[in-house]
C-alpha cells in the first residue's frame, strides 16, 4: 500500500450517493484505507474480514460492487467470488498481493471484472470502482447501443443484457458482454488492446493482458473450437477482429495482410501454436506490469 495522507484527497460526499460497496480484506490497515477512500468518494461501504463473513453480508444486502482480496483465511477469494456469482451477477474487483499472471488470469476467469495488485494506489482503485460501476449501471443505452445485435448465430440484446449462440443462452460476465457487443457493432474491423481497453473498459491505463484474458474467455464461449477461432480472430501486429459472414471482402488491407499472416494465405483457421505465438507477441510486458504512474497522475 502506498504511503497515504491521513485523510484521502477527496472532499466528503453524502454517504451512499454513488452506490454500495462491500470491501473484503483480512488486513485491517488495507481495509481501513480502502474504506476511507471509498467513503470520501461518495460510496456506502461495508467491510468483511474473511470469506464466510463476506458471503453473509452479501446475502443480507446485495452490494453494487465487491472489492475482494484473493488471499483470505478459511476461504480464498476465488471461492468467495464463485459463490457470489452463483446468486447472480455482481461486479467484482479482486485484490491480490501476488503479481503472478496465473493468479490474475484465474481471478478473471472466475468472473472478476478487474483486479488490482498490491501494493496499489487507493486513488487508482477508486477510479477502477467508478469505471466498473459506470459500465454496470449505465442505464438505458442510447438508441444505437440499444439495437439488438446478431450474426454468425450470435444474438445480443443490450437492453435486457442477454446473449445467446444458436439459441442457447450464453453466461457472460459484465465485461465479456460489453466486449462482445463492441466487437459485433464493429465487425470486420481490427482493434488494438489499448483501443479495446479504452472503449470497453473506459480506462486510459491498466494491464493490457486483461484484454487478452477476456478475448480468450469469449472464444471459449462463442467459438465452436476455441483453439481454432473463426469469429474472434487475432490480427498480427494489431490486435483482434470479429469476423461475420460477408466481412473482409473489400480487398487486402494492412489488417487483412496481418490476418493472412495469422491464418495462412488460404484463410485457414489459426492453429493453437500460431495463436499462442501471436498473443505472446502482443503481450511483451512482463507479468505484473501495470502503468501505475499514469493511474496516479490521472487520480
Amino acid at each position: 500500500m502506498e504511503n497515504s495522507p491521513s485523510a484521502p484527497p477527496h472532499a466528503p460526499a453524502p454517504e451512499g450517493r454513488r452506490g454500495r460497496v462491500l470491501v473484503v480484506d483480512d488486513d485491517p490497515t488495507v481495509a481501513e484505507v480502502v474504506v476511507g477512500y471509498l467513503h470520501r468518494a461518495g460510496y456506502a461501504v461495508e467491510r468483511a474480514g474473511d470469506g464466510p463473513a463476506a458471503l453473509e453480508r452479501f446475502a443480507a444486502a446485495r452490494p453494487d460492487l465487491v472489492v475482494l482480496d484473493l488471499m483470505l483465511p478459511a476461504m480464498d477469494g476465488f471461492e468467495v467470488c464463485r459463490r457470489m456469482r452463483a446468486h447472480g451477477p455482481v461486479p467484482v474487483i479482486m485484490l491480490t498481493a501476488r503479481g503472478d499472471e496465473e493468479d490474475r488470469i484465474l481471478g478473471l476467469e472466475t468472473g472478476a471484472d478487474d483486479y488490482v495488485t498490491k501494493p496499489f494506489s487507493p486513488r487508482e482503485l477508486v477510479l477502477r470502482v467508478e469505471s466498473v460501476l459506470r459500465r454496470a449501471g449505465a442505464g438505458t443505452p442510447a438508441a444505437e447501443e440499444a439495437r439488438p445485435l446478431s450474426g454468425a448465430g450470435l444474438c445480443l440484446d443490450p437492453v435486457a443484457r442477454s446473449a445467446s449462440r444458436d439459441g442457447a443462452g450464453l453466461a457472460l460476465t459484465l465485461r465479456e458482454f460489453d466486449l462482445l457487443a463492441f466487437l459485433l457493432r464493429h465487425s470486420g474491423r481490427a482493434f488494438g488492446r489499448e483501443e479495446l481497453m479504452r472503449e470497453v473498459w473506459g480506462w486510459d491505463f491498466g494491464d493490457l493482458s486483461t484484454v487478452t484474458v477476456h478475448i480468450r474467455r469469449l472464444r471459449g464461449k462463442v467459438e465452436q473450437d476455441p483453439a481454432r477461432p473463426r469469429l474472434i480472430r487475432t490480427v498480427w501486429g494489431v490486435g483482434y477482429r470479429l469476423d461475420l459472414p460477408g466481412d473482409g471482402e473489400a480487398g487486402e488491407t494492412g489488417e487483412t495482410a496481418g490476418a493472412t499472416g495469422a491464418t495462412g494465405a488460404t484463410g485457414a483457421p489459426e492453429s493453437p501454436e500460431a495463436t499462442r505465438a501471436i498473443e505472446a507477441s502482443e503481450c511483451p510486458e512482463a507479468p505484473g506490469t501495470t502503468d501505475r504512474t499514469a493511474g496516479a497522475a490521472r487520480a
Side-chain angles (χ1 to χ4, degrees):
M1 181 67 62
E2 68 170 11
N3 293 327
S4 305
S6 56
H10 295 91
E15 184 175 320
R17 173 174 57 84
R18 308 183 68 182
R20 296 178 59 256
V21 178
L22 173 60
V23 175
V24 187
D25 198 307
D26 63 327
D27 185 327
T29 302
V30 172
E32 182 178 352
V33 173
V34 171
V35 168
Y37 268 76
L38 289 171
H39 265 307
R40 288 165 177 78
Y43 296 98
V45 188
E46 288 194 75
R47 181 171 156 184
D50 57 35
L55 294 174
E56 184 178 342
R57 296 283 182 89
F58 182 83
R62 182 76 61 89
D64 298 302
L65 180 142
V66 180
V67 176
L68 178 61
D69 187 26
L70 174 62
M71 300 301 294
L72 294 170
M75 182 187 303
D76 65 27
F78 296 133
E79 182 61 24
V80 174
C81 186
R82 289 190 189 98
R83 296 194 186 191
M84 287 181 177
R85 290 286 187 180
H87 295 283
V90 60
V92 174
I93 297 178
M94 279 194 171
L95 304 179
T96 173
R98 297 183 294 183
D100 293 345
E101 185 177 15
E102 289 184 4
D103 289 334
R104 302 200 309 274
I105 291 174
L106 182 55
L108 292 169
E109 292 183 342
T110 301
D113 298 282
D114 191 11
Y115 65 87
V116 177
T117 304
K118 299 177 182 178
F120 59 87
S121 162
R123 291 173 293 179
E124 180 180 338
L125 177 60
V126 170
L127 288 176
R128 299 292 184 96
V129 169
E130 291 172 352
S131 175
V132 172
L133 282 176
R134 185 167 58 248
R135 287 283 176 176
T140 303
E144 176 64 22
E145 295 181 350
R147 179 174 57 86
L149 303 165
S150 62
L154 294 169
C155 293
L156 269 69
D157 185 339
V159 176
R161 303 287 294 184
S162 63
S164 63
R165 171 79 194 267
D166 297 329
L170 294 174
L172 302 179
T173 66
L174 171 73
R175 296 295 188 186
E176 290 167 359
F177 186 96
D178 289 342
L179 178 57
L180 182 57
F182 181 83
L183 291 173
L184 275 171
R185 289 191 186 99
H186 303 89
S187 65
R189 176 181 169 187
F191 291 92
R193 291 182 301 156
E194 294 89 347
E195 290 180 277
L196 291 173
M197 178 164 282
R198 183 171 59 251
E199 297 294 335
V200 177
W201 277 257
W203 306 341
D204 291 321
F205 61 90
D207 189 339
L208 296 178
S209 65
T210 299
V211 177
T212 307
V213 171
H214 279 78
I215 289 289
R216 187 182 308 156
R217 284 179 54 81
L218 264 184
R219 283 172 169 165
K221 295 180 180 182
V222 306
E223 298 281 359
Q224 296 289 354
D225 181 359
R228 300 172 66 82
R230 302 299 300 266
L231 292 174
I232 303 175
R233 311 297 289 265
T234 299
V235 182
W236 180 272
V238 180
Y240 303 101
R241 184 188 68 227
L242 187 143
D243 286 344
L244 297 178
D247 286 340
E249 297 177 354
E252 183 165 313
T253 63
E255 294 175 2
T256 307
T260 301
T263 62
T266 62
E270 303 160 12
S271 69
E273 293 78 10
T275 299
R276 284 193 293 270
I278 292 167
E279 291 189 348
S281 73
E282 294 168 350
C283 305
E285 66 269 19
T289 299
T290 303
D291 188 353
R292 304 193 184 283
T293 304
R298 178 169 174 168

